[in-house]
Amino acid sequence: MAVVAPVKVPPVVAPAKADRGRRRPRRRWGLNLIALVLILLSSFPVYWMFTTSFQTNAAIRSPDQELTPVGGTLHNYRSVFDSDNFTTAFANSLKVTALTVVLALAVAFLAAVAVSRFRFRGRVAFLVMILLVQMVPAEALMISLVKVLEGWQLRNTIIGLTIAYLAFVLPFTIWTLRGFVAALPVELEEAAMIDGASRWGAFWRITLPLVAPGLVATGIFAFIQAWNEYTLALVVMIRPEKETLPLWLQSFNYGARGTDWGGVMAGSTLITVPVIIFFLFVHRRIASGLTAGAVKG
Amino acid sequence: MKFKKLAALGLVSSLLFAAAACGDDDDSDSTKGDGDSSSDALAAPAKDTKATLRVWLNGPDTPQDMRDWAIAEFKKQYPNVTVKIEEQEWDGLVPRLTTALDSADTPDIVEMGNTQAQEFEAAGALTDLSSKLDELGGDDLLESLKEAGSYNEQFYGLPLYAGARVVTYRTDLFEKSKLEVPTTLDEFVEAGKKLQKDNASTPNFSGIYFPGRNWQAMLSFIWDAGGDIATQSDGEWTGTLADKESVDGLTTVQDIMKNANKAPADSDDRNDYIDFCANEVGMLMGPGWKQGQIEEECPALKGKLGVFPLPGSDGDVAPSFLGGSVLGLSAKGKNQGLAYQFLKLINGDEFQTQYAENSLIPNKKSLLDKVAGSPGALAQAEAAENSRFTPSSEFWAQVEGDNILQDMGTQIGNGDDVEKAASTANDAIVEILNQ
Amino acid sequence: MTTGVLPEEGMVPGEPTPSGSTPASRPGRGGLLGRVKALPYALTIPALVALAAGLGWPLVRLVIMSTQDYGLRQQFGAPAPNVGLDNFTEIFGDSYFWEVLRRSLVFCFLAVTLTMVAGTAVAVLLGKLGRVMRTALSVSLLLAWATPALTATVVWQWIFDSRFGVVNWALTKLGFDYEGHSWVSEPLSFFFVALLIVVWMGIPFIAFTLHAAMTQIPDEVMEAAAIDGASSWQRFRDVTWPGIKPIFVVLLALSTMWDLRVFTQIYVLQQAGGVTRDTNLLGTWAYRTGVGSQQFGKGAAIALVMVGLALLLTLFHIRQMFKQEEI
């Protein structure tokens, strides 16, 4: 068939999973515009933080504000790397956060499966309790928590802080994953079991991959919670070599007899980087969703 | 109701878990370290003792070379002892101290701000040093800091160093306006107004930079006028912030804020050095190291700065708020004797004189004349002679934490009725102090 | 096959829909998972252990301390006098508490509404964007979410700074006289700024989680509905919404609690210049009155009051959950 005119036609072949490519171009532009506005709004403060990290303290407070970084300085970043504890704090944060995320997801998944696929005594009580516990501020518990950790010789340890973080992250993680599991049709697991899989096999091979989006979303949440947490780390990790990054950042609040704004921003920028890396690594799993053909009717 | 039963069941099961998991709980059983008033515990240990001494110093206030010096000196006395100085941040210090001093992992020596020390002393967290007071200097110690380090007639915290508030000013602007260093408070205010008028063309210029939340500076005016925050008799606090004298002092403050100042009413003095570098300041009230900080931040102003202590109405130095720290021994520390020896080293004239050389005020009156060299330090020393302290109560930290005086400052800076603002603050303070 | 039908909340595999018969009268199928009674308990044990380890004893201590006059002295060994419910009566008798509570409820309501509505909208948007834009938007949302709370609040302060803030600068350029305008010294504008920050920081999380939930909805169902001629709104209402409802409700409950006890953003803004007394919300008030001034007994009582408050607010949701457990 002869092509009549070189008209641009939107791609008809949809990408593997979604039919998003079929959207009409006009609609697409509208949405993209909205997205652009949102991108500006959500990243403006971060952009500000980023550009400020390249300015001297005097320039930061000057009446002439630069919206774009012109002639910056690396002085702030140098003072970050010069500071005593940056690398150890970074390593500590990394360890605690990784441990917290992995354990939280594993434990929460199990519990989520339990409460959404089974009925058992105490199920509602369990859920209600962990929901309400979210309301207790960490400050009210931290003194007792430290005593507990001390009793187990776990103060100033990565494990100790991880336990504390787990306790604070689990309630939300369990509740959310429960929502995701509950949203999956039980027929999927039943189909697998009819095909001969065990209960556990069904959960492992069917449910788990399908709640991957939920795992990613809650994983990011757990990551950010643990990575940026300050209050508990303040009282649990009291040896300088055990500090985590949020504690380390505070030292710029009192550099040179006044707040070292440039240092705070440079430090904050560096602190944000691993989160972004983690996200880029896992975010595609959010869109994995149900593959066509998983369930045959 | 089934719901209740399920809830109860859930609660009980987790309590059981908790109890099983937790082992022994004896947090209410605290064996006080051997740092009671028995001076035997503080006796010098043998020269070959092996131990690690942990010292918590806050912020960058004590310069690195002074720390190095102290460590090296102590090593001469006790070659087998390692001294570790761990730097803490002022932010979040109190919760840290609360959980650290009470644990087996406690540091041996801790530095506390003078307004924080009281509550820890009252709680029994520090070793009683009353028997050593004379040895450490007795009456020679700076009065208001010694007060901060004492509770209930007993002595716990050794004054470490102090910082008095002085006025840092632009010598070149003074010359331009043909001003001399003011000798009375009135002259000071007038000078500020003149600077304000003469520099009106500079945007945001303040003759006297007075941000609303700078409550420490306000205190000088209150005290100079004869007022005070609160007084105590028989354990009961009476608020004096709303008395005529105090209000008079605050009215002067409002006068300055309105007619000689463009600093915002809702900010504090954290960024004043930056505004100074932006040529927006004629005079500002602040710690003695402000001059050094400004010169570091903008070397262009070097040589154009001067310092003087705030003059009082009577021509003498105005009463000023003395900031500073005290050092205490953790009652649960395991190295009481060693810690005390280190404390003596810090207290010694050699170490303290180094503070003077670094523009901080040493802890003894007899050393005030060592504060030579920088005019800033000299001005501070003068101011220190007429230093006053905030109400010495274990609850004062809460007053600061609740921002009561800061709020009052903002209201005054906004032009609100001075008497009303003082009255509100006064009531709030009295309520807290008398709880 | 029931690909398009998602199970009701609380439904258990093997159980018929509520209109059917009770499990007891249906042998065999109902027992598939019910046969091994221990499994669900076994699955929750790790969670219980972790929670008990981190929260168990501290919570018990919290309850005990709330009935004591427990301050710094007690922390260091002084005996703690039991004061019964005095801490609680003090709280409820303090008119300032009610003032703070009222403010917190209003703030929470506004924050939650804005966050959930905007978050949902953004989640829908994420689903409709092309891959490049979606990643770009996701990353910028993530940046907003991942910025340390202290840093974010500081930057927002600068943006609204009375002298050097971009907002004042822009407004003045547009002709309004906003030079030197202070955004934090008046309570109303203080809360406007605080609301902005809290919502800004809260949207990404809602958006990501809901977006993840939306991707769980089978594409075939969406396509089927589109082919059937359903409009965007109808598709959202009839296909998307039922699918994300369980998660939405969870997020709603959690958001409510978090925004009710919001602390960092308010605290930092207060330290930057608001009048503290007029801007305290539950979180900062609880901190200043209790733990912040070393009055742990009172702080514990306040924490329990806050839990009670949470219970009241989420009661409806819990009752719904409970109702569905009963057949």
Side-chain angles (χ1 to χ4, degrees):
Chain A
M1 218 190 306
V3 174
V4 177
V7 174
K8 275 217 165 77
V9 179
V12 174
V13 179
K17 294 200 174 125
D19 67 340
R20 295 170 185 116
R22 275 203 209 121
R23 214 147 290 305
R24 302 206 313 264
R26 232 179 310 144
R27 186 78 87 59
R28 195 65 164 295
W29 279 118
L31 291 175
N32 280 349
L33 190 63
I34 299 177
L36 212 58
V37 171
L38 285 175
I39 290 177
L40 285 173
L41 285 177
S42 52
S43 49
F44 182 68
V46 178
Y47 173 76
W48 200 255
M49 167 185 93
F50 183 67
T51 54
T52 307
S53 69
F54 291 104
Q55 295 179 342
T56 58
N57 279 325
I60 291 172
R61 292 282 294 186
S62 81
D64 318 302
Q65 290 298 301
E66 306 281 343
L67 274 184
T68 45
V70 171
T73 166
L74 284 178
H75 163 76
N76 297 319
Y77 285 95
R78 239 176 281 142
S79 63
V80 163
F81 288 109
D82 276 347
S83 84
D84 284 333
N85 280 331
F86 179 65
T87 29
T88 37
F90 197 91
N92 289 331
S93 278
L94 212 55
K95 286 184 220 166
V96 173
T97 305
L99 216 53
T100 306
V101 171
V102 168
L103 287 177
L105 289 181
V107 169
F109 176 71
L110 297 179
V113 163
V115 297
S116 33
R117 294 298 192 229
F118 297 87
R119 283 178 66 226
F120 55 96
R121 292 191 73 119
R123 184 181 79 106
V124 173
F126 173 70
L127 283 172
V128 169
M129 227 175 27
I130 64 178
L131 184 70
L132 293 181
V133 146
Q134 288 279 281
M135 197 61 180
V136 182
E139 293 85 10
L141 294 170
M142 68 183 177
I143 309 258
S144 312
L145 183 59
V146 166
K147 276 227 179 309
V148 167
L149 290 177
E150 275 204 341
W152 291 334
Q153 312 275 13
L154 286 178
R155 193 181 195 174
N156 282 318
T157 61
I158 303 283
I159 307 260
L161 195 58
T162 305
I163 293 177
Y165 284 173
L166 271 180
F168 279 90
V169 161
L170 273 178
F172 159 76
T173 327
I174 294 175
W175 263 92
T176 310
L177 277 180
R178 171 195 159 265
F180 277 90
V181 174
L184 275 185
V186 304
E187 288 79 7
L188 298 174
E189 287 144 27
E190 287 181 354
M193 284 193 279
I194 286 169
D195 281 349
S198 66
R199 277 164 311 282
W200 176 245
F203 290 143
W204 180 252
R205 276 180 305 169
I206 306 291
T207 321
L208 184 59
L210 291 177
V211 293
L215 287 172
V216 170
T218 46
I220 297 175
F221 170 82
F223 191 102
I224 293 179
Q225 290 290 100
W227 188 252
N228 285 336
E229 204 282 330
Y230 174 74
T231 314
L232 290 178
L234 177 72
V235 290
V236 172
M237 309 299 238
I238 59 175
R239 299 260 182 167
E241 63 272 14
K242 294 293 182 191
E243 263 187 2
T244 54
L245 281 176
L247 296 179
W248 167 86
L249 189 65
Q250 280 295 328
S251 64
F252 282 94
N253 240 354
Y254 247 90
R257 269 78 179 273
T259 308
D260 181 4
W261 296 113
V264 171
M265 291 303 128
S268 305
T269 307
L270 287 175
I271 289 180
T272 327
V273 167
V275 186
I276 299 178
I277 295 179
F278 176 72
F279 174 76
L280 289 175
F281 201 62
V282 297
H283 83 291
R284 257 182 268 128
R285 295 292 277 157
I286 287 189
S288 62
L290 279 175
T291 54
V295 181
K296 278 305 163 208
Chain B
M1 219 204 352
K2 202 165 170 208
F3 184 21
K4 276 203 190 124
K5 265 205 264 170
L6 285 175
L9 182 66
L11 184 64
V12 168
S13 44
S14 36
L15 284 185
L16 285 176
F17 269 109
C22 193
D24 67 294
D25 144 55
D26 61 319
D27 56 292
S28 54
D29 150 37
S30 75
T31 39
K32 261 193 164 184
D34 50 4
D36 282 308
S37 33
S38 67
S39 29
D40 304 304
L42 298 173
K47 290 271 172 189
D48 59 353
T49 316
K50 242 181 146 176
T52 310
L53 209 60
R54 280 168 60 219
V55 181
W56 276 13
L57 289 184
N58 304 332
D61 299 348
T62 305
Q64 189 59 42
D65 31 354
M66 282 180 71
R67 303 182 193 196
D68 294 337
W69 182 89
I71 294 180
E73 277 302 302
F74 199 69
K75 204 124 188 112
K76 293 187 198 158
Q77 292 181 33
Y78 290 93
N80 290 328
V81 171
T82 322
V83 176
K84 278 206 192 153
I85 297 187
E86 295 172 2
E87 182 169 317
Q88 307 296 312
E89 305 309 321
W90 285 104
D91 284 329
L93 180 68
V94 173
R96 254 208 178 176
L97 282 177
T98 308
T99 53
L101 290 174
D102 181 42
S103 80
D105 196 32
T106 174
D108 299 288
I109 302 178
V110 292
E111 178 191 347
M112 293 162 288
N114 52 3
T115 42
Q116 300 161 328
Q118 297 270 297
E119 38 177 7
F120 285 100
E121 293 157 15
L126 303 173
T127 310
D128 188 347
L129 297 173
S130 307
S131 58
K132 299 290 184 186
L133 180 54
D134 285 333
E135 190 178 60
L136 290 170
D139 284 334
D140 194 22
L141 294 170
L142 285 179
E143 197 56 47
S144 64
L145 282 186
K146 195 170 69 148
E147 230 182 283
S150 313
Y151 183 79
N152 231 6
E153 317 278 311
Q154 300 193 286
F155 183 67
Y156 298 90
L158 176 74
L160 181 61
Y161 66 85
R165 306 215 139 216
V166 294
V167 180
T168 311
Y169 71 102
R170 289 279 298 271
T171 48
D172 55 341
L173 293 180
F174 259 48
E175 255 185 72
K176 222 179 50 165
S177 298
K178 304 221 186 353
L179 290 170
E180 301 265 329
V181 171
T183 52
T184 68
L185 196 62
D186 286 337
E187 280 180 31
F188 172 71
V189 178
E190 287 310 310
K193 291 185 186 169
K194 182 147 201 313
L195 283 172
Q196 187 72 14
K197 229 172 20 127
D198 292 349
N199 290 283
S201 54
T202 316
N204 288 322
F205 184 83
S206 297
I208 300 175
Y209 187 85
F210 212 138
R213 291 169 80 91
N214 190 358
W215 60 277
Q216 293 97 333
M218 271 188 270
L219 290 179
S220 289
F221 291 85
I222 296 176
W223 286 328
D224 177 80
D228 201 351
I229 301 175
T231 51
Q232 185 188 40
S233 70
D234 289 332
E236 176 91 9
W237 287 95
T238 322
T240 50
L241 197 55
D243 292 358
K244 181 171 182 312
E245 293 88 1
S246 306
V247 173
D248 280 345
L250 288 173
T251 312
T252 313
V253 170
Q254 189 171 55
D255 183 26
I256 295 179
M257 286 183 171
K258 258 206 307 214
N259 300 317
N261 162 59
K262 281 262 165 69
D266 61 357
S267 71
D268 61 17
D269 55 354
R270 261 190 176 183
N271 297 310
D272 54 9
Y273 69 106
I274 297 181
D275 293 341
F276 204 104
C277 281
N279 288 318
E280 295 174 1
V281 178
M283 296 188 272
L284 65 69
M285 287 167 289
W289 40 258
K290 205 39 90 164
Q291 181 186 2
Q293 183 184 40
I294 294 173
E295 288 177 354
E296 206 186 296
E297 186 67 23
C298 48
L301 285 183
K302 256 200 179 129
K304 299 192 188 151
L305 299 174
V307 190
F308 60 85
L310 188 70
S313 305
D314 55 0
D316 240 338
V317 168
S320 75
F321 176 70
L322 198 68
S325 302
V326 298
L327 273 188
L329 266 55
S330 171
K332 290 200 174 169
K334 301 211 173 59
N335 302 304
Q336 298 288 322
L338 272 180
Y340 180 66
Q341 295 307 310
F342 192 77
L343 201 68
K344 280 212 302 197
L345 179 68
I346 301 284
N347 186 48
D349 287 357
E350 281 187 64
F351 187 80
Q352 288 294 322
T353 312
Q354 292 180 46
Y355 272 125
E357 289 157 11
N358 278 286
S359 286
L360 289 171
I361 298 180
N363 65 0
K364 298 197 203 57
K365 297 182 207 155
S366 59
L367 292 177
L368 283 179
D369 58 356
K370 288 276 187 348
V371 185
S374 75
L378 278 170
Q380 276 197 87
E382 265 186 87
E385 302 205 8
N386 194 2
S387 66
R388 296 273 291 271
F389 188 49
T390 45
S392 111
S393 147
E394 61 185 297
F395 299 116
W396 179 254
Q398 192 183 339
V399 173
E400 279 192 29
D402 279 358
N403 293 331
I404 295 178
L405 290 173
Q406 289 91 325
D407 287 351
M408 181 183 77
T410 305
Q411 289 169 329
I412 292 180
N414 277 336
D416 293 359
D417 179 48
V418 174
E419 224 179 303
K420 224 176 89 195
S423 190
T424 318
N426 186 53
D427 294 340
I429 291 177
V430 168
E431 206 188 308
I432 293 177
L433 293 181
N434 278 329
Q435 67 186 283
Chain C
M1 210 33 213
T2 54
T3 35
V5 172
L6 301 164
E8 288 294 315
E9 216 188 75
M11 264 261 302
V12 174
E15 304 285 342
T17 52
S19 55
S21 41
T22 60
S25 65
R26 306 220 331 149
R29 253 195 119 213
L32 232 190
L33 291 159
R35 217 186 303 149
V36 183
K37 302 247 161 96
L39 189 58
Y41 291 105
L43 291 174
T44 55
I45 279 180
L48 282 174
V49 167
L51 287 168
L55 287 178
W57 184 241
L59 280 175
V60 171
R61 284 295 312 283
L62 196 76
V63 174
I64 295 176
M65 271 201 294
S66 67
T67 60
Q68 293 175 328
D69 179 10
Y70 197 96
L72 200 58
R73 298 171 191 245
Q74 283 67 30
Q75 181 71 9
F76 287 96
N82 185 297
V83 292
L85 294 174
D86 276 1
N87 285 330
F88 293 95
T89 45
E90 234 186 281
I91 295 170
F92 291 119
D94 184 2
S95 61
Y96 188 58
F97 162 71
W98 295 101
E99 196 187 311
V100 168
L101 179 62
R102 188 183 44 87
R103 256 186 252 148
S104 304
L105 287 171
V106 173
F107 186 86
C108 172
F109 175 74
L110 289 171
V112 172
T113 311
L114 287 171
T115 315
M116 295 303 289
V117 169
T120 311
V122 174
V124 172
L125 179 65
L126 278 173
K128 297 192 195 240
L129 289 174
R131 193 156 60 94
V132 170
M133 270 314 238
R134 187 166 67 249
T135 311
L137 182 56
S138 300
V139 171
S140 56
L141 285 175
L142 181 82
L143 285 175
W145 189 10
T147 318
L150 167 73
T151 318
T153 321
V154 163
V155 174
W156 277 103
Q157 255 175 263
W158 279 348
I159 293 178
F160 279 95
D161 188 79
S162 37
R163 266 204 287 164
F164 307 124
V166 167
V167 173
N168 279 355
W169 175 83
L171 285 173
T172 317
K173 275 265 178 343
L174 286 176
F176 304 98
D177 176 25
Y178 265 83
E179 178 135 4
H181 174 89
S182 166
W183 289 87
V184 293
S185 49
E186 291 303 311
L188 225 53
S189 71
F190 175 97
F191 283 120
F192 170 71
V193 176
L195 199 63
L196 194 60
I197 302 177
V198 169
V199 170
W200 177 82
M201 287 174 80
I203 287 180
F205 161 62
I206 305 291
F208 276 128
T209 314
L210 284 179
H211 173 60
M214 287 176 195
T215 62
Q216 268 199 309
I217 297 167
D219 288 334
E220 295 91 25
V221 183
M222 291 290 278
E223 281 182 35
I227 287 170
D228 281 350
S231 74
S232 270
W233 170 248
Q234 281 172 322
R235 268 179 290 161
F236 178 80
R237 189 191 57 191
D238 298 328
V239 182
T240 315
W241 175 249
I244 61 172
K245 189 154 165 238
I247 297 174
F248 185 91
V249 178
V250 171
L251 293 177
L252 187 65
L254 287 167
S255 281
T256 307
M257 283 190 292
W258 290 337
D259 287 344
L260 197 56
R261 71 168 172 88
V262 63
F263 175 76
T264 310
Q265 292 90 335
I266 308 289
Y267 188 76
V268 176
L269 280 179
Q270 282 176 328
Q271 298 302 92
V275 174
T276 306
R277 200 165 165 80
D278 295 337
T279 54
N280 265 333
L281 291 186
L282 268 184
T284 49
W285 173 77
Y287 179 75
R288 292 182 197 280
T289 319
V291 172
S293 23
Q294 320 302 314
Q295 296 181 64
F296 305 114
K298 196 132 182 256
I302 295 175
L304 287 178
V305 167
M306 286 169 76
V307 171
L309 188 61
L311 184 59
L312 280 174
L313 286 177
T314 50
L315 202 59
F316 175 68
H317 174 63
I318 293 171
R319 251 147 146 259
Q320 248 207 329
M321 257 204 59
F322 180 66
K323 253 192 252 158
Q324 274 160 344
E325 203 203 9
E326 293 215 76
I327 301 246

